Amino acid sequence: PLTADRLDKARAQEEWLVLERTVGGLAFRAFAEGRPVELRAEGGRLAWSEAGGEERALSLEHLFFEPAQVVRINGNGIAAPARLTLRRAGRERSLELNRWLEDRP
């Protein structure tokens, strides 16, 4: 049981990293191309479309979006709302979408 739990945690962390890279890449593309992106997150699925283009999706097995959420990233790469809320094993976690806007030393 301990090994299975560690394996699940590792897979959930891998999904988290893929999710961060995917959403960050979408925000960068929105900014670089000046075209908005809409994200729709529900259950174990994150779907997106860029400026009315074909929908693409990312399926997750260990992380879940509760409740269903819609995020719009404008042509400047700014997301509203600024976070996605996920759950893993009953625990809530938030992905901050506009972290790149924070002042850095």
Side-chain angles (χ1 to χ4, degrees):
L2 183 59
T3 302
D5 185 52
R6 287 186 180 164
L7 187 56
D8 282 347
K9 285 181 182 179
R11 288 180 177 156
Q13 182 62 27
E14 180 182 1
E15 284 185 356
W16 179 265
L17 294 172
V18 169
L19 180 63
E20 278 186 318
R21 282 192 303 266
T22 300
V23 173
L26 290 168
F28 177 77
R29 283 183 58 172
F31 170 75
E33 297 175 7
R35 295 187 310 170
V37 177
E38 182 176 276
L39 309 174
R40 287 169 308 288
E42 184 172 10
R45 186 171 189 267
L46 175 71
W48 64 90
S49 58
E50 301 175 51
E54 184 178 327
E55 182 175 278
R56 299 188 63 196
L58 175 66
S59 294
L60 305 170
E61 293 181 26
H62 300 277
L63 301 173
F64 301 93
F65 298 101
E66 282 182 13
Q69 301 157 73
V70 175
V71 174
R72 289 176 179 81
I73 302 173
N74 68 22
N76 295 318
I78 300 171
R83 76 172 39 111
L84 280 170
T85 303
L86 298 99
R87 291 197 181 277
R88 181 193 172 274
R91 295 182 58 201
E92 187 174 294
R93 190 168 180 189
S94 293
L95 177 61
E96 299 296 328
L97 304 176
N98 294 325
R99 286 187 319 188
W100 65 275
L101 292 171
E102 298 172 5
D103 292 332
R104 302 200 191 273

